[in-house]
Amino acid sequence: MQKISIIIYSIICTVLLVSCGADQAMKKGDKFYALGEYFDAAAQYRKAYTHTSNKQREQKGQRAMKMAECYRRIHFTSKAISAYQNAIRYKQDDSLTHFYLGQLLMRNGNYREAEKHFQTAIDSLPHSDDHWSLAKMGLKAARQAAQWKKDGSAYTIKRMDLFNSRRAEYSPMLGGDEDDQLYFTSTRNQAQGDEYSGITGAKNADIFLSQKDDKGKWSKPQTIDSELNSEMDEGACCFSPDGKSMYLTICKTDPNYPRYATIAVSSRSDASWSKPKELTISKDTLSSYAHPAVSPDGEWLYFTSDMPGGLGGFDIWRCKLTGNEMGTPENLGEPVNTPGDEMFPTFRPNGDLYFSSDGHPGMGGLDIYILKERKEESGKRKEITLSADNSQEKEETDISLSSFHFPLSSKLEHPGFPLNSQGDDFGMTFEGKRNQGYFCSNRGDTRGYDHIYSFFNPEIVQTVKGWVYEQDGYELTSAQVYMVGNDGTNLKLSVKGDGSFTQEIKPNVDYVLLATCKGFLNHQEQLRVEPVTKSEEYVLQFPLANISAPVLIENIFYDFDKATLRPESATALDELVQLLNENPNITIELSAHTDYKGSDEYNKSLSQRRAESVVNYLIDHGIASDRLTPKGYGEGKPKTIKRKVAERYPFLKAGDVLTEAYITTLPEEQQEQCNQLNRRTEFIVLRTTYGLFDKAGRLIQTPKPEESSKESDQAPSSEPW
């Protein structure tokens, strides 16, 4: 009898201990859940569920429900489905249980079962509830998804194992002047810190970098050696159009406070990134701000947030970028945002907005959607007025540059399978102007980890690539390029660190491109785009003349020992005529120079006659004589070597002056090369105000073009600036 009592007592104690342990696990789970640490919360809820008797059906079902909520949030799809099904088995389900189960079954590609649960949710949810409209959308998607997968699309994708690890990789972003750098977020073991996140069960994410070599081969991803990463969660980055600023998402760690994402900015100095500085988008500190994207014009910062005022869940918002200040957040509204989640905005360089959503009909999880950019149009001719040195800049009409405006009438595009799948698909980045690049997806990963894939769509894309540089010098990274087309195009383009820019163009359109930079003369190019049957890139050069230094006019040839211009000089002289026409407010000194051979008097006379020959050619081709001053210097101004010239002649260095005394110290062959450099024709800007003032010194007002209803349909004139 005593043994039986002991056994009964032991059983009671065990039951009490198990019950106490389950209750304690629930308390810990609830604490983790309140902090958003769903991985740790799920572990505690699972412990409590396991230690709960099957006879305690209500408690068992409630604990299954909490476990399911955690697994759903960290994308452990199979475990979440099982937990929701257990909640249903123990009759602790509600309408939202079936709604979420429908979404999870979509992620598993089980569209028929998803359809049943969406229908259950629709039948029981009030019509005023956002979940009801999302359930209707889900039902529609469940009925269409299998056909989308069957139809396919022109996209081809490939999993990029070089970039991937056994953990998560997401939000790839191409950088570098030649798209030869790939930044992405990863929770791999190489991330900083030793702690594992209570949210995901993995390390806090860092940004990693892979670089492409001269042969086009990507390197193994490496950590970034700067203050960019820390023990906090960093990721989902993007770049300003000039590549000098990186915007990124940061989640701070606080053991006693929920973690909210914020957006920070880092600046590039040489090849290193600075410590990120948090941006203040709103005074609301209880909302998340994540997934930044800068519009191609550099004027807007797009991001994801759950701040009040949205359509539900996470929405896509934007702020005006004005220096270090942030404008008031604007919600993009419909057709982009829904009662569901819209996340990971990004721009194709042509202005199309790509984002991911679970609030639009899709194949499961987050699907990628496209909203085509539509440029603002007006009936006036688009004109820009620049002073000769580009120190003043204004628009003569009320035409604004492209503001990346998405009207309510715009329709979303679903790019179909295989770009989209039953899993989460998001985080696009584009390589050049073509429809190719990288994105991420957790398709096929039972743990819900995201990995990087490449994509390619063989659509025909025509682009123009331009190079802006100092004439006889290096790239001008602070230059701007204005691009006007007779289809209404009116763009202001920034150049990259190598002085280049690339822009998509359309067939059957006439374009005029004007390159400008403060302290330099403008240069204009015209382009007619013809239809093609395959992708094509036009390449244009924009050499800008410095207004404060002599500018070499290359390929000017004279008859031997004479001032007569040879016919092959016409091309260079015609380009000089064009330059003067493009910069009508400058006057120049046209100078000719000789080597030291011959007498000073003879060389000066010969060079003067040569300078006059060039001036006469310019006058004959329409340039006003009072804008031109011929000057022959003979051997009096020997050439000073610039760095770019020194690269062509290894025996010279920047700053060398090719005087007779210097040249005669060189070997004979090098002497002749120096003499050729001294025999040159140049010009230098004397004034930048020609024609701007009347005789009394008053500024002459340039009349604005007359308005015309037909004007917007005309091609731009040869001088639209």
Side-chain angles (χ1 to χ4, degrees):
M1 191 68 181
Q2 187 175 4
K3 285 184 179 181
I4 294 173
S5 298
I6 292 172
I7 291 171
I8 293 173
Y9 178 76
S10 298
I11 292 172
I12 292 172
C13 288
T14 301
V15 170
L16 289 173
L17 285 171
V18 169
S19 176
C20 182
D23 291 341
Q24 192 68 25
M26 286 299 297
K27 289 180 181 179
K28 288 183 179 179
D30 289 342
K31 181 180 178 181
F32 288 135
Y33 190 93
L35 293 173
E37 297 178 352
Y38 303 115
F39 181 87
D40 287 348
Q44 294 300 321
Y45 290 145
R46 181 174 179 79
K47 180 179 179 182
Y49 176 83
T50 303
H51 290 164
T52 303
S53 170
N54 291 342
K55 294 180 179 179
Q56 297 174 284
R57 297 182 63 82
E58 184 176 343
Q59 278 188 319
K60 193 87 169 176
Q62 290 172 352
R63 289 168 182 178
M65 180 70 78
K66 289 200 170 185
M67 188 166 50
E69 287 292 299
C70 292
Y71 285 139
R72 176 177 64 85
R73 291 172 182 270
I74 59 177
H75 304 301
F76 283 22
T77 301
S78 296
K79 290 185 177 182
I81 290 173
S82 179
Y84 276 124
Q85 288 173 338
N86 282 332
I88 294 171
R89 180 159 64 96
Y90 289 111
K91 300 189 183 305
Q92 294 302 307
D93 57 309
D94 55 20
S95 302
L96 288 180
T97 304
H98 294 276
F99 168 72
Y100 290 132
L101 189 51
Q103 288 189 322
L104 291 163
L105 289 165
M106 290 284 289
R107 288 178 182 269
N108 260 14
N110 194 340
Y111 298 128
R112 289 195 175 185
E113 284 298 313
E115 188 177 338
K116 296 177 183 177
H117 287 281
F118 282 133
Q119 188 62 63
T120 300
I122 291 169
D123 292 341
S124 55
L125 282 166
H127 291 193
S128 59
D129 194 315
D130 284 345
H131 292 95
W132 181 82
S133 60
L134 289 173
K136 289 202 70 174
M137 182 279 300
L139 180 62
K140 179 181 178 182
R143 291 170 175 170
Q144 293 178 332
Q147 187 62 43
W148 283 336
K149 187 171 183 178
K150 181 180 179 181
D151 292 342
S153 70
Y155 282 91
T156 57
I157 68 164
K158 179 183 177 182
R159 178 164 163 153
M160 301 298 293
D161 290 333
L162 174 65
F163 303 139
N164 296 320
S165 70
R166 298 182 66 184
R167 293 292 184 175
E169 290 80 30
Y170 59 94
S171 293
M173 184 57 58
L174 285 162
D177 294 330
E178 298 296 327
D179 289 331
D180 53 0
Q181 300 172 348
L182 185 73
Y183 294 78
F184 62 89
T185 308
S186 180
T187 59
R188 62 185 60 196
N189 292 334
Q190 289 78 16
Q192 293 187 26
D194 297 321
E195 295 185 2
Y196 284 77
S197 168
I199 299 177
T200 63
K203 277 192 167 186
N204 286 333
D206 276 352
I207 298 175
F208 288 78
L209 171 64
S210 177
Q211 301 193 70
K212 188 184 291 185
D213 62 21
D214 295 338
K215 297 181 180 179
K217 184 179 179 180
W218 289 104
S219 67
K220 184 179 178 180
Q222 301 291 329
T223 56
I224 297 175
D225 187 20
S226 72
E227 295 182 288
L228 184 67
N229 290 314
S230 70
E231 294 187 0
M232 294 188 292
D233 225 336
E234 291 95 7
C237 69
C238 72
F239 301 103
S240 57
D242 60 10
K244 296 178 180 178
S245 298
M246 174 194 290
Y247 296 86
L248 66 154
T249 306
I250 295 180
C251 287
K252 297 180 180 178
T253 302
D254 189 330
N256 300 309
Y257 197 76
R259 302 202 320 170
Y260 295 100
T262 60
I263 294 175
V265 61
S266 172
S267 300
R268 187 181 67 184
S269 176
D270 294 326
S272 180
W273 292 100
S274 68
K275 184 177 181 180
K277 180 180 179 182
E278 186 175 333
L279 295 176
T280 302
I281 294 176
S282 167
K283 295 181 180 179
D284 177 9
T285 59
L286 299 179
S287 297
S288 289
Y289 308 91
H291 311 161
V294 180
S295 60
D297 60 10
E299 295 185 2
W300 294 91
L301 179 69
Y302 287 68
F303 59 93
T304 294
S305 179
D306 58 353
M307 72 172 80
L311 274 66
F314 284 92
D315 277 5
I316 295 177
W317 300 69
R318 71 175 188 173
C319 284
K320 188 78 171 179
L321 287 172
T322 52
N324 295 324
E325 300 295 324
M326 302 290 295
T328 303
E330 303 175 7
N331 189 283
L332 259 62
E334 297 177 340
V336 171
N337 292 321
T338 70
D341 290 332
E342 282 70 46
M343 311 169 82
F344 298 98
T346 190
F347 283 93
R348 188 173 169 182
N350 66 1
D352 293 345
L353 174 66
Y354 286 67
F355 66 96
S356 293
S357 171
D358 63 8
H360 295 284
M363 299 182 67
L366 293 171
D367 268 24
I368 294 167
Y369 297 86
I370 309 168
L371 190 67
K372 297 291 185 180
E373 187 264 342
R374 189 184 79 173
K375 299 177 178 65
E376 299 280 10
E377 295 183 0
S378 175
K380 294 183 181 180
R381 177 179 294 175
K382 303 167 177 61
E383 298 208 359
I384 301 169
T385 298
L386 297 160
S387 66
D389 64 354
N390 304 303
S391 59
Q392 295 286 330
E393 185 178 311
K394 66 179 181 178
E395 292 187 32
E396 291 293 342
T397 71
D398 63 356
I399 301 292
S400 63
L401 298 174
S402 172
S403 60
F404 296 92
H405 170 65
F406 302 103
L408 291 175
S409 59
S410 295
K411 292 183 179 180
L412 294 180
E413 291 185 14
H414 184 276
F417 180 84
L419 188 65
N420 284 315
S421 70
Q422 64 198 41
D424 289 325
D425 307 292
F426 61 98
M428 305 281 286
T429 185
F430 292 87
E431 190 171 2
K433 298 294 180 176
R434 296 188 179 185
N435 198 351
Q436 65 185 43
Y438 302 92
F439 74 111
C440 52
S441 176
N442 61 9
R443 63 185 73 187
D445 192 295
T446 57
R447 300 163 299 175
Y449 288 148
D450 305 302
H451 300 292
I452 295 174
Y453 291 76
S454 65
F455 70 90
F456 171 69
N457 187 315
E459 66 183 23
I460 297 174
V461 178
Q462 292 177 271
T463 59
V464 57
K465 183 166 189 176
W467 303 86
V468 187
Y469 53 93
E470 179 183 2
Q471 194 164 323
D472 197 30
Y474 287 86
E475 63 272 359
L476 296 171
T477 58
S478 59
Q480 294 282 347
V481 177
Y482 296 88
M483 179 174 173
V484 172
N486 62 352
D487 65 335
T489 298
N490 186 19
L491 298 175
K492 180 181 178 181
L493 310 173
S494 298
V495 300
K496 297 180 181 180
D498 62 351
S500 72
F501 67 90
T502 306
Q503 179 61 37
E504 187 172 340
I505 51 181
K506 299 175 183 178
N508 299 315
V509 177
D510 295 318
Y511 293 98
V512 179
L513 297 95
L514 180 77
T516 71
C517 188
K518 187 175 182 180
F520 293 83
L521 300 182
N522 303 331
H523 183 86
Q524 177 181 305
E525 292 286 342
Q526 298 187 34
L527 180 64
R528 169 68 182 177
V529 183
E530 301 292 346
V532 294
T533 56
K534 62 180 181 179
S535 295
E536 184 175 348
E537 182 173 77
Y538 298 84
V539 178
L540 299 177
Q541 304 289 332
F542 294 85
L544 304 191
N546 194 320
I547 66 170
S548 59
V551 178
L552 176 68
I553 310 173
E554 295 189 272
N555 299 320
I556 300 294
F557 305 102
Y558 307 90
D559 287 341
F560 177 72
D561 207 26
K562 295 181 180 179
T564 307
L565 287 165
R566 292 166 60 179
E568 54 264 42
S569 303
T571 299
L573 291 172
D574 290 342
E575 290 175 353
L576 181 57
V577 171
Q578 180 183 347
L579 176 70
L580 291 166
N581 285 328
E582 290 169 357
N583 298 271
N585 302 124
I586 66 167
T587 63
I588 65 170
E589 176 188 273
L590 197 293
S591 61
H593 305 263
T594 66
D595 56 32
Y596 62 82
K597 297 176 182 179
S599 67
D600 290 348
E601 183 178 351
Y602 177 81
N603 285 337
K604 198 167 187 178
S605 173
L606 176 62
S607 61
Q608 180 66 30
R609 288 184 285 118
R610 286 180 168 178
E612 290 171 354
S613 293
V614 174
V615 165
N616 290 334
Y617 184 97
L618 300 177
I619 293 172
D620 290 342
H621 287 76
I623 304 301
S625 59
D626 57 349
R627 296 179 61 193
L628 308 169
T629 302
K631 183 69 174 179
Y633 286 98
E635 60 183 278
K637 286 193 173 183
K639 186 176 182 65
T640 299
I641 298 301
K642 292 185 178 181
R643 187 159 55 98
K644 190 173 182 180
V645 175
E647 289 180 357
R648 300 202 304 264
Y649 299 91
F651 65 93
L652 297 174
K653 63 180 184 296
D656 284 346
V657 181
L658 303 185
T659 62
E660 180 178 359
Y662 174 83
I663 294 174
T664 54
T665 65
L666 301 173
E668 185 176 345
E669 182 180 351
Q670 294 177 1
Q671 288 187 35
E672 180 52 31
Q673 289 176 320
C674 289
N675 286 330
Q676 288 177 0
L677 290 172
N678 270 333
R679 297 192 294 266
R680 67 198 189 277
T681 304
E682 297 176 334
F683 74 85
I684 188 169
V685 176
L686 299 177
R687 293 170 52 205
T688 61
T689 57
Y690 177 83
L692 293 180
F693 300 92
D694 61 18
K695 293 181 179 180
R698 295 186 296 267
L699 180 66
I700 298 174
Q701 298 294 324
T702 303
K704 295 182 179 181
E706 296 181 3
E707 295 186 24
S708 170
S709 60
K710 297 182 179 179
E711 204 164 24
S712 62
D713 297 325
Q714 297 174 350
S717 68
S718 60
E719 295 180 9
W721 291 279

